[in-house]
Amino acid sequence: MAAATELHVPEAHRESFWTRYVFSQDHKVIGIQYLLTSFVMLLIGGALAMAMRVNLAWPQSGILQADQYLAAVSMHGTLMVFFVLTPALLGGFANFLVPLKIGARDMAFPFINMLSYWVFLLSALVLLASFFAPGGPLNSGWTAYPPLSALPQAAPGSGLGQSLWLVSIAIFCVSSLLGSLNYITTILVMRTPGMRLGRLPLTVWGIFLAAILALLTFPVLMAAGILLLFDRHAGTSFFIPAGLVVGGEVIRHTGGNPLLWQHLFWFFGHPEVYIVILPPMGIVSDVIANFARKPIFGYPAMVGSMVAITVLSFLVWGHHMFVSGMHPLLGTGFAITTLLIGTPSAVKTFNWLVTLWRGKLYFSTAMLFALGFISTFVAGGLTGIFLGNAAVDIPLHDTFFVVGHFHLVMGVAALFGIFAGTYFWFPKMFGRMMDERLGRVHFWLSILGVYGTFFPMYYLGLAGMHRRIFNYQAFPYLAKLQPVQVFITLSAFLIFLGGLVFAYNLFTSLANGPRADRNPWRATTLEWFADSPPPHGNWHGDAPRVYRGPYEYSVPGAREDYLPQWLSPVEAGVEAEH
């Protein structure tokens, strides 16, 4: 049974500027801090992507040298995965929404919550400092495969830049663990009376399961990173094999194995895909139900699918290593589990489509991005069926086909989930509405740019275009593909332009947007019971009690087309749910 949160909330909660806006322990402020920091990192990561695209479209421009190109590739991947998608979802939305949606006053451990943000910010600053390191930032890719990442003399970015990357990631893992423990504890023990697990909004389920994944996988990455630091600076040989020669000099390491890093990295790496996809799956469910004015179809199946994805995500990491010389029998096992994980994803997609069917659809900006999430998730996910088979993956593994796949299914889909959530909960966060006209401009620039950028990459991959290649024009069969590269780059600029429109909309709406009332979307979940923006402690007086599930839209016999979770059967004029 859920335990009620009965903290004493003073009528006039007084705080200084520093404790209210900087070193705040309020989950809402911390969530906004995470989100704004993630958006800054998104701008930097996006600018790096634009530089790479210009280089690929017009190699003669000389905008990047070879080592700078590899550094840009590596930092773009690191920034987008670790410092944009993960913290925005499992830091920003998780912090802001979890207590409000379950009827709690705050997180279970407010001080640790504040600490998690500042540790995250420290990790981001350490990473950005690597831009100024001698030799520049790492150029071993966001996966940092040894021995390139293990030997400081291997390449220009293998020196201090690589060490700072490892330190940054280790610090980031600490922040993630602090946050995950908080979310799991809060959801399990601080739900308001009536908020059974079966009444949790799917956004909370997505955050809860993603936090479990993070709790179990980030320690593996942190341990691997520390071992790699030992290899680099303490003379150990966990990942460095014997007999390596760099610059004509034999490296004095013996006994290590680079494959050990790959196993450890991908044991974290593939669940990371679901760490950044499960919360958007919940966000999209909330948004679609609201703007279709229908209950989510098959709520138990949606929760069951999320649980199945969580469990199966621990059993698929080997498909990233089909080309490593893996035994075919083991590869077949990983191929089977990889294909199996497509089943619960298909169930969720089917349920979203049925929810939309014959709904009273309103195409708000949040709804458009939610539909964009489904579209890109399917467009990227279907090509995962190809890459999940070893026989197909091996020739495609080092090509742009993979780049198109994971950008659509992981990067763009998750980012569209973030945008859908931002447009949907902006009124609750700041008490103002975002400009819907600018929001639609943002969406259409983004969706056109996304498909123009990543869909042609499937063609490039099938044509043999390698990943991470700086001078592809050295190969005649690739040089003739330059017009496709130009088209992709121009499309990518549409995405970047859409991002600038979003930034303008965000800040102008923050300053001058129309005032939002408590429940501008006529939604049903508990956060809409609070003022916009919510006060310290989230609600004046007692915390709300829950009487029904989270998606009671268009209920026959009800006075309005939605029944909020907090409305008692007497107030709602309907029979109580048992």
Side-chain angles (χ1 to χ4, degrees), residues 26 129 230 237 254 269 349 360 362 388 395 434 473 483 505 508 543 555 578:
D26 188 321
F230 284 162
S237 295
T254 58
T349 304
K360 300 173 186 173
Y362 175 67
M434 290 189 79
Q473 292 204 321
N505 191 3
T508 56
V555 177
H578 300 287

Side-chain angles (χ1 to χ4, degrees), residues 339-362:
L339 297 179
L340 275 178
I341 206 169
T343 304
S345 300
V347 169
K348 296 191 72 64
T349 304
F350 175 79
N351 286 9
W352 286 321
L353 295 179
V354 175
T355 303
L356 291 167
W357 178 251
R358 293 186 174 179
K360 300 173 186 173
L361 304 184
Y362 175 67

Side-chain angles (χ1 to χ4, degrees), residues 401-416:
F401 192 92
V402 177
V403 179
H405 161 70
F406 75 73
H407 272 88
L408 281 172
V409 76
M410 177 185 176
V412 174
L415 206 53
F416 275 20

Side-chain angles (χ1 to χ4, degrees), residues 37-330:
T37 307
S38 301
F39 288 149
V40 171
M41 302 302 267
L42 174 63
L43 184 63
I44 300 172
L48 289 173
M50 292 303 101
M52 287 186 288
R53 287 309 322 169
V54 169
N55 194 85
L56 288 168
W58 301 286
Q60 65 278 12
S61 66
I63 190 172
L64 294 173
Q65 301 302 310
D67 58 329
Q68 293 170 333
Y69 178 82
L70 292 174
V73 170
S74 305
M75 289 296 280
H76 168 74
T78 302
L79 284 166
M80 300 305 284
V81 173
F82 290 103
F83 295 92
V84 176
L85 300 180
T86 306
L89 292 161
L90 212 51
F93 287 109
N95 262 295
F96 187 85
L97 292 176
V98 165
L100 282 167
K101 277 183 168 292
I102 67 170
R105 299 280 185 195
D106 208 316
M107 287 289 181
F109 312 112
F111 177 78
I112 290 177
N113 202 25
M114 177 192 71
L115 194 62
S116 73
Y117 170 74
W118 287 101
V119 172
F120 159 69
L121 186 62
L122 174 63
S123 70
L125 294 175
V126 171
L127 182 76
L128 295 179
S130 69
F131 278 111
F132 306 99
L138 86 162
N139 51 22
S140 56
W142 79 278
T143 54
Y145 277 6
L148 186 60
S149 61
L151 302 171
Q153 66 274 42
S158 300
L160 180 60
Q162 181 70 64
S163 292
L164 288 173
W165 184 90
L166 287 166
V167 171
S168 167
I169 295 301
I171 298 172
F172 177 86
C173 291
V174 173
S175 165
S176 177
L177 293 175
L178 294 176
S180 298
L181 281 171
N182 230 337
Y183 309 140
I184 294 169
T185 307
T186 303
I187 293 170
L188 288 179
V189 306
M190 297 184 68
R191 301 190 308 279
T192 196
M195 181 59 86
R196 303 192 296 259
L197 289 176
R199 289 175 172 174
L200 284 177
L202 289 171
T203 298
V204 178
W205 271 111
I207 292 168
F208 177 64
L209 295 169
I212 292 174
L213 282 175
L215 187 67
L216 296 177
T217 58
F218 272 106
V220 177
L221 177 65
M222 185 167 68
I226 292 172
L227 294 180
L228 188 51
L229 277 171
F230 284 162
D231 274 9
R232 290 172 57 81
H233 300 291
T236 60
S237 295
F238 291 103
F239 307 114
I240 307 174
L244 279 182
V245 178
V246 177
E249 182 182 346
V250 178
I251 301 301
R252 300 177 63 182
H253 284 268
T254 58
N257 191 336
L259 285 181
L260 174 60
W261 170 269
Q262 293 191 30
H263 280 289
L264 295 174
F265 184 88
W266 287 116
F267 184 80
F268 145 80
H270 202 81
E272 166 67 10
V273 172
Y274 298 102
I275 288 172
V276 302
I277 281 295
L278 286 168
M281 284 177 166
I283 291 171
V284 164
S285 301
D286 280 16
V287 171
I288 284 178
N290 181 271
F291 292 111
R293 313 308 289 174
K294 282 181 65 181
I296 280 290
F297 179 79
Y299 174 91
M302 294 292 266
V303 175
S305 298
M306 287 172 136
V307 173
I309 289 171
T310 303
V311 174
L312 286 170
S313 70
F314 286 107
L315 307 174
V316 297
W317 83 89
H319 73 233
H320 294 277
M321 300 170 59
F322 283 148
V323 296
S324 67
M326 179 182 293
H327 190 285
L329 189 61
L330 186 59

